[in-house]
Amino acid sequence: MDSIASGDDFMPIFFVGQHESQRSQPVSASVLRQAQDCNYDMLTTPITTPYFQTRVLALLSSHSAQLKSSSGNNLLSPIIPPLGPLDTHLTPNETISQLLTVSSPWIDLCSPDPIILHLSQQVLGLEIAYAAFCGVGNVIIAGPKLHHGTAHGDALVQYARAIQEALSVGMNLQIEILLPMIDQPELEWDDSMWSLTRFARKANGKDTGKEKAPKPDMYGSWDAWNIIRTVSLSLPRHLPALPIQSRWFCEPLRLLSIASNTFLRNPKGYPVLSKPHQALIARYMRLRIPPWILLCDVGPIPGLDNPDLVIPVADGYLSPSAAADATAGNSPSPTPSEVPKQIKGQSKKFQDPTPHLSYIRNLQRRQPSRTIIERFGAGFQDYLQSPLQPLTDNLESNVYEVFEKDPVKYDWYERAIACALRDWIEQGYPTSNPDGKVVVAVVGAGRGPLVTRALQASQSVNVEVEVWAVEKNPNAYILLQRHNDEEWHGQVNIIKSDMRSWKGPWREGGYPAQATTYSRDPTSSTFTSDTHSSVLNLPNESESILQLNPPPNPEPGHGYVDILISELLGSFGDNELSPECLDGVQHVLNPTHGISIPSSYSAHLTPIAAPKLHADIAARTLTDASAPETPWVVMLHAIDYLSTTSPVPPTASTPQSSQSALAATPNVLIAWTFTHPRPPPILYQNPTQYPKPSHPSDPTPTTPSNAHNARYARLSFRCRERGVCHGLAGYFETELYPGVELSTNPVTMEAKSRDMISWFPIYFPLKTPLYHPDNSLLEISIWRQTDDRKVWYEWMVEAFVFTSPLLGGGGGVDGGWEKKRVRLGVSELHSSRKAGCLM
């Protein structure tokens, strides 16, 4: 188990700001107080004034006139003079930290016209420098204009370079790029007649002819962001498909911008958000660091013209009719031209002067309670944790306590133990205890939760058991003895030992070991195994191998165990050396009917986009060079699954509120499986690992090679949409006993072990993120390696795309046409050998 305890549940806090695109007066301390009295947390303010805009336009006009009158284009680009007192209302004061400053939206940092581009870069540079001087903490910059005639995103590198320059000027500034969730060409044209975009010359003064209307690219906005990398998101009136929402969810979002025309009108005429919008906000507010909400153009701050007017506080307590959801048919979204009319009429229709803010505060109060998993992991979403070293480290009591908080896991264990005991009696198997009791051993007992469950299972099925608890931790051993005296009433035999060194239950007078039998297909030398090929082909001398190195029997005075119980699984199933531990203790298990709980477990993988985790690991690399090659235990939250199965498309009769549940399912594939107990030939197949005895009377060493626990898998993942792979998410599934399963796989966890909190997923990072286009293929190669001293993983990712069909030389399917697979990129081969788990 790899997780950390969380605190008590708490409701998310919404930090709500107000933005006016045409704010008419400077934001003074009194204006800010008035906004805070209305229950806003922050306000936006432009860095420069309209006077500065007219000054820049005058400079552009003068330069354009000189270009027309001159015979050539050899004039130098115009230079904007420094800012003056009339160019900005911003000044350093005590309120500056509570303001979000906004750069000029009328510039165009992607303009194909070099003069417009140069002027825009100068404007941004002057504004950033002055904002940094004033001590501003946050600057909002309008996103790039992607469409210029038939060109699409051609000058994104110019925009990205301007942002990089701005960051170098304002070293302590947080810059938020305001981007739409999807590419919307019709919204890029600035309604203002004084926008610099209107003055750009087409192709440097040449007429490009008739232009076709650009087609929207659903991932075009994200593509632009992927080049820029700092974001605040503007929610559209109609939310896009869930895959696009998920893509933005994994990005480091600072601001969630909601315009007035995003709101609907409910039957009573109050502004509300659609249910998909509500679900999206609820999802964002469950992030470890949730974004701020910025309400745009929802009306001015009330009471500024009358300071004595008493303004009610938007506390979120609304009547059911005011907070009721909108219904289809009578609540169309207002258009931008309708917004001013609605705002003007609000004083007559509503008693509330800030209905949009009141609704957001009401939405905050109505946030659903956190799930068990969310409460358990609160504060630790996307938090990197090093995997445990259970064989070399003695865990502390608080770590065990975290494990024991999971009721689902231990309920399922108790159910598995009860089923095993019941089946043992019903099948009439002989027990390894002379008195007929079923011998049960809990290896790696910790503080004893599985011991308690084994005793409870024995009582529930009325089967007598002899219980042994084996624990190497000397501190936990003391607690186990106390539990045995106070809770278990001396029913448990407690052994302080590494499970691999334990010789089995002690029998007074030397309890005889049972005979071992092997079954094999007489026509071939094959034994069933849990390796990747599922069948192990033994050489012809396999029988001599078994004669030279037979499975060890318990030493004289020691007996067998009938049911062997352990909780050694890690986030990837085998990453905490469960195979090695259970192999090492298998010599005490009844070789004929012995049961292992768990009986099998499998590792699963899927590629993900995780920019936040990538940034965290990059920061750690400065002090830990092995960070990019360490498999991290993480409660994955702000991620996007890159390979998904197709969701069921909504129909005309599907209500909009239900479409949020139609999310695509991640494509999670199995890498390998381990089963227990192992067939003896698997454990004892390599005699070269055993040195020959120096004297005939010396016993033959029985410590086997660990080569049989090495694994390799190559998995292919189809990716319909473009994206960036930052790493691999790893999960596991386990069968404790037939019919009783646990899973951390997001595809099967709900059905197999809902609300289980014991394990967080594992994350295999990539040093360099790997981009892949639409309709591409990601292939993952992963190895589980061992050198008989420790176990580690190696992994790499390749990106492929299929080219247009080419005519095959030798004919074939589809009339001889075949597609050619082209490798677009490949990651480095990563190895966690330095941070491997010691045996």
Side-chain angles (χ1 to χ4, degrees):
M1 181 212 142
D2 308 295
S3 51
I4 295 180
S6 65
D8 294 333
D9 190 21
F10 62 94
M11 296 302 294
I13 299 176
F14 288 17
F15 290 93
V16 185
Q18 188 255 17
H19 170 67
E20 294 180 38
S21 57
Q22 303 295 330
R23 199 177 294 279
S24 59
Q25 56 182 318
V27 179
S28 61
S30 60
V31 172
L32 183 60
R33 283 194 299 270
Q34 185 71 15
Q36 290 173 339
D37 289 342
C38 295
N39 212 8
Y40 281 111
D41 296 300
M42 66 201 90
L43 293 179
T44 65
T45 182
I47 299 175
T48 54
T49 63
Y51 175 81
F52 176 68
Q53 181 182 12
T54 58
R55 196 157 64 87
V56 173
L57 290 176
L59 181 64
L60 174 61
S61 178
S62 174
H63 184 79
S64 299
Q66 293 181 38
L67 279 178
K68 290 180 181 180
S69 61
S70 63
S71 57
N73 293 333
N74 56 354
L75 288 177
L76 296 177
S77 297
I79 303 299
I80 302 175
L83 296 178
L86 297 178
D87 294 325
T88 177
H89 294 307
L90 206 62
T91 184
N93 54 40
E94 66 277 3
T95 64
I96 199 72
S97 62
Q98 302 174 61
L99 299 178
L100 303 176
T101 56
V102 182
S103 68
S104 295
W106 42 269
I107 63 176
D108 187 357
L109 295 169
C110 284
S111 177
D113 186 336
I115 296 177
I116 299 299
L117 177 63
H118 186 60
L119 285 175
S120 298
Q121 291 172 344
Q122 291 183 71
V123 169
L124 181 64
L126 289 170
E127 292 181 333
I128 292 295
Y130 186 70
F133 165 76
C134 292
V136 167
N138 295 271
V139 176
I140 301 174
I141 301 177
K145 294 179 173 61
L146 300 178
H147 300 275
H148 295 86
T150 57
H152 181 271
D154 290 357
L156 268 176
V157 290
Q158 293 279 22
Y159 186 96
R161 184 191 173 280
I163 298 301
Q164 185 180 27
E165 184 69 21
L167 287 170
S168 65
V169 172
M171 300 291 291
N172 298 319
L173 286 178
Q174 292 283 346
I175 292 181
E176 284 85 39
I177 309 299
L178 185 60
L179 287 167
M181 184 173 277
I182 56 175
D183 185 15
Q184 296 175 297
E186 70 279 4
L187 298 183
E188 283 194 0
W189 188 254
D190 196 328
D191 291 335
S192 172
M193 63 179 298
W194 304 117
S195 170
L196 288 183
T197 305
R198 293 179 177 269
F199 297 93
R201 298 168 298 167
K202 294 183 179 180
N204 293 331
K206 299 178 182 179
D207 189 1
T208 57
K210 186 177 180 180
E211 298 174 355
K212 295 182 180 179
K215 294 182 179 180
D217 182 359
M218 300 302 286
Y219 282 86
S221 187
W222 176 84
D223 257 341
W225 152 245
N226 190 42
I227 296 177
I228 303 164
R229 290 270 154 205
T230 309
V231 67
S232 66
L233 194 63
S234 176
L235 295 185
R237 183 185 304 181
H238 301 290
L239 288 179
L242 284 169
I244 301 176
Q245 296 182 39
S246 295
R247 178 63 50 82
W248 282 112
F249 180 73
C250 76
E251 300 293 350
L253 191 68
R254 292 294 304 277
L255 282 173
L256 202 58
S257 174
I258 308 176
S260 57
N261 61 350
T262 303
F263 287 83
L264 307 176
R265 297 286 168 176
N266 67 8
K268 293 295 183 179
Y270 289 88
V272 295
L273 291 173
S274 69
K275 287 188 175 181
H277 282 85
Q278 295 177 41
L280 181 69
I281 292 175
R283 188 181 182 192
Y284 273 112
M285 291 304 144
R286 275 164 161 69
L287 289 170
R288 181 157 57 105
I289 303 178
W292 300 336
I293 295 176
L294 193 63
L295 298 179
C296 301
D297 296 321
V298 294
I301 302 298
L304 293 180
D305 53 350
N306 184 5
D308 297 328
L309 182 65
V310 177
I311 304 297
V313 177
D315 54 13
Y317 289 101
L318 299 179
S319 65
S321 61
D325 290 326
T327 56
N330 66 350
S331 54
S333 302
T335 64
S337 61
E338 295 171 339
V339 172
K341 298 178 182 179
Q342 292 188 351
I343 293 176
K344 184 177 180 181
Q346 281 178 3
S347 59
K348 298 179 180 179
K349 195 167 186 178
F350 303 115
Q351 297 292 330
D352 189 350
T354 55
H356 300 82
L357 175 60
S358 296
Y359 176 78
I360 292 297
R361 293 301 185 193
N362 178 262
L363 190 62
Q364 175 183 347
R365 293 185 175 279
R366 292 189 290 113
Q367 288 299 290
S369 300
R370 298 197 172 203
T371 64
I372 294 176
I373 295 177
E374 288 172 335
R375 290 197 300 269
F376 181 80
F380 293 97
Q381 299 165 343
D382 301 314
Y383 179 79
L384 299 170
Q385 304 173 61
S386 299
L388 297 175
Q389 290 275 4
L391 295 186
T392 57
D393 298 337
N394 289 322
L395 303 182
E396 297 180 355
S397 181
N398 62 339
V399 178
Y400 289 116
E401 183 179 359
V402 174
F403 302 166
E404 297 164 13
K405 286 185 176 181
D406 190 343
V408 175
K409 177 179 72 173
Y410 291 108
D411 286 347
W412 262 236
Y413 261 99
E414 182 177 340
R415 181 188 303 177
I417 297 169
C419 291
L421 290 173
R422 185 185 300 111
D423 290 348
W424 190 284
I425 299 303
E426 290 179 355
Q427 296 295 330
Y429 294 149
T431 68
S432 299
N433 182 290
D435 298 330
K437 297 179 180 179
V438 179
V439 182
V440 175
V442 178
V443 291
R447 302 200 313 178
L450 285 182
V451 176
T452 301
R453 295 294 183 145
L455 294 173
Q456 292 176 182
S458 169
Q459 294 177 356
S460 66
V461 296
N462 196 26
V463 174
E464 288 188 304
V465 294
E466 175 191 352
V467 180
W468 293 78
V470 182
E471 175 55 50
K472 72 175 181 63
N473 188 336
N475 305 306
Y477 174 69
I478 298 173
L479 186 60
L480 288 173
Q481 294 178 88
R482 179 170 289 114
H483 285 331
N484 198 26
D485 293 337
E486 299 176 356
E487 299 178 19
W488 303 328
H489 308 294
Q491 300 178 75
V492 181
N493 304 283
I494 302 175
I495 304 296
K496 177 183 173 298
S497 172
D498 186 313
M499 67 182 73
R500 297 168 295 178
S501 303
W502 184 41
K503 299 178 181 179
W506 172 254
R507 302 300 178 193
E508 292 292 341
Y511 182 64
Q514 298 184 12
T516 303
T517 59
Y518 305 102
S519 60
R520 178 166 60 88
D521 186 346
T523 62
S524 66
S525 57
T526 60
F527 289 82
T528 302
S529 77
D530 63 340
T531 59
H532 203 57
S533 60
S534 78
V535 172
L536 175 67
N537 293 315
L538 295 178
N540 294 331
E541 62 272 15
S542 58
E543 294 184 3
S544 62
I545 293 175
L546 293 177
Q547 293 172 2
L548 176 64
N549 297 288
N553 292 325
E555 295 186 8
H558 295 272
Y560 282 120
V561 169
D562 297 323
I563 300 177
L564 193 67
I565 306 168
S566 64
E567 50 175 335
L568 307 171
L569 300 180
S571 294
F572 202 44
D574 55 80
N575 62 297
E576 293 184 6
L577 305 190
S578 178
E580 286 72 20
C581 292
L582 294 182
D583 285 352
V585 75
Q586 183 171 321
H587 64 275
V588 306
L589 185 62
N590 186 317
T592 307
H593 304 295
I595 297 172
S596 174
I597 297 176
S599 60
S600 67
Y601 41 90
S602 54
H604 300 250
L605 283 172
T606 189
I608 61 172
K612 291 182 181 180
L613 294 179
H614 177 74
D616 288 347
I617 292 174
R620 290 184 182 227
T621 306
L622 299 176
T623 56
D624 180 9
S626 64
E629 294 186 292
T630 299
W632 297 95
V633 174
V634 189
M635 183 182 181
L636 297 175
H637 193 69
I639 65 167
D640 184 30
Y641 296 107
L642 298 176
S643 177
T644 58
T645 58
S646 299
V648 179
T651 62
S653 60
T654 304
Q656 188 180 26
S657 60
S658 300
Q659 294 184 17
S660 61
L662 302 175
T665 302
N667 186 20
V668 183
L669 300 183
I670 183 172
W672 49 66
T673 300
F674 290 90
T675 61
H676 300 282
R678 303 294 187 89
I682 300 299
L683 293 179
Y684 307 98
Q685 62 175 303
N686 191 354
T688 62
Q689 298 295 325
Y690 309 117
K692 293 183 178 180
S694 57
H695 189 273
S697 63
D698 292 342
T700 301
T702 57
T703 302
S705 165
N706 197 40
H708 63 283
N709 283 324
R711 293 290 188 274
Y712 166 72
R714 184 172 178 85
L715 309 174
S716 298
F717 296 87
R718 295 276 183 174
C719 303
R720 293 194 304 270
E721 291 86 19
R722 74 201 76 167
V724 175
C725 179
H726 294 94
L728 314 174
Y731 310 92
F732 77 89
E733 296 183 11
T734 178
E735 182 183 70
L736 300 178
Y737 190 75
V740 184
E741 298 180 73
L742 299 175
S743 173
T744 64
N745 183 342
V747 179
T748 60
M749 182 177 179
E750 185 74 12
K752 293 185 176 182
S753 50
R754 180 181 180 182
D755 293 332
M756 186 177 66
I757 58 179
S758 281
W759 292 275
F760 292 161
I762 200 166
Y763 175 64
F764 297 91
L766 297 184
K767 291 181 180 178
T768 303
L770 188 63
Y771 179 85
H772 62 89
D774 293 335
N775 300 314
S776 55
L777 183 73
L778 290 180
E779 289 203 348
I780 296 172
S781 297
I782 185 166
W783 296 260
R784 187 183 196 265
Q785 302 280 50
T786 178
D787 60 2
D788 295 339
R789 293 184 298 108
K790 62 182 177 180
V791 173
W792 69 94
Y793 297 94
E794 296 177 0
W795 64 96
M796 65 182 296
V797 181
E798 300 169 89
F800 296 89
V801 69
F802 293 95
T803 61
S804 300
L806 300 174
L807 185 60
V813 296
D814 299 329
W817 291 85
E818 59 182 17
K819 289 186 177 182
K820 184 178 180 181
R821 193 175 76 161
V822 179
R823 180 183 285 104
L824 294 180
V826 58
S827 73
E828 299 178 51
L829 176 62
H830 301 72
S831 175
S832 65
R833 185 165 189 163
K834 291 183 179 179
C837 203
L838 297 174
M839 296 171 59

